[in-house]
Amino acid sequence: MSNISDDRYDKKANFNKDNISVSVFIDSKEGYGCFEFEIEQTEEEKEMFGEQESDYAEGMLKFEDNELIDYDGVGELPEEVINLIHQLGYNTNEI
């Protein structure tokens, strides 16, 4: 899934379950990061609706003092992205 070159990020986390894939990358020194989120069609959905492209989103993350203070790319961060941010030791109370 990942289109992101992750060698510049010192904190990384991934989540894969069923048809959902999520990655979060953070450069803790610079206070920024990014995420990718993808939901692929299930076999049942392919049979019902025909094969379609997966739902995909990516965006940037901005941190200050271990707190997520801003993001872009989606109207609301998916819960899976927030959970990975927490796993990496960051707070999301400000969003």
Side-chain angles (χ1 to χ4, degrees):
M1 170 181 88
S2 182
N3 298 323
I4 297 171
S5 172
D6 66 355
D7 54 335
R8 65 181 169 184
Y9 299 100
D10 59 320
K11 295 191 174 194
K12 306 163 195 149
N14 298 296
F15 171 83
N16 295 293
K17 183 177 181 186
D18 301 325
N19 60 328
I20 299 174
S21 299
V22 184
S23 298
V24 171
F25 305 90
I26 299 173
D27 180 333
S28 61
K29 293 175 189 145
E30 298 296 326
Y32 69 89
C34 58
F35 68 90
E36 291 182 308
F37 181 86
E38 183 173 29
I39 301 175
E40 295 183 15
Q41 275 186 303
T42 64
E43 290 303 317
E44 184 178 304
E45 290 170 332
K46 288 178 185 177
E47 288 177 19
M48 290 176 64
F49 307 113
E51 192 155 342
Q52 300 175 10
E53 288 187 31
S54 60
D55 291 329
Y56 178 83
E58 65 182 21
M60 299 302 294
L61 305 167
K62 178 68 178 156
F63 298 92
E64 189 174 281
D65 299 324
N66 287 350
E67 177 89 29
L68 179 64
I69 59 169
D70 197 14
Y71 65 91
D72 71 358
V74 293
E76 185 175 326
L77 279 177
E79 181 180 332
E80 294 84 356
V81 172
I82 292 171
N83 290 340
L84 289 180
I85 291 169
H86 290 165
Q87 271 186 299
L88 293 171
Y90 290 83
N91 193 324
T92 59
N93 291 337
E94 294 296 317
I95 58 161

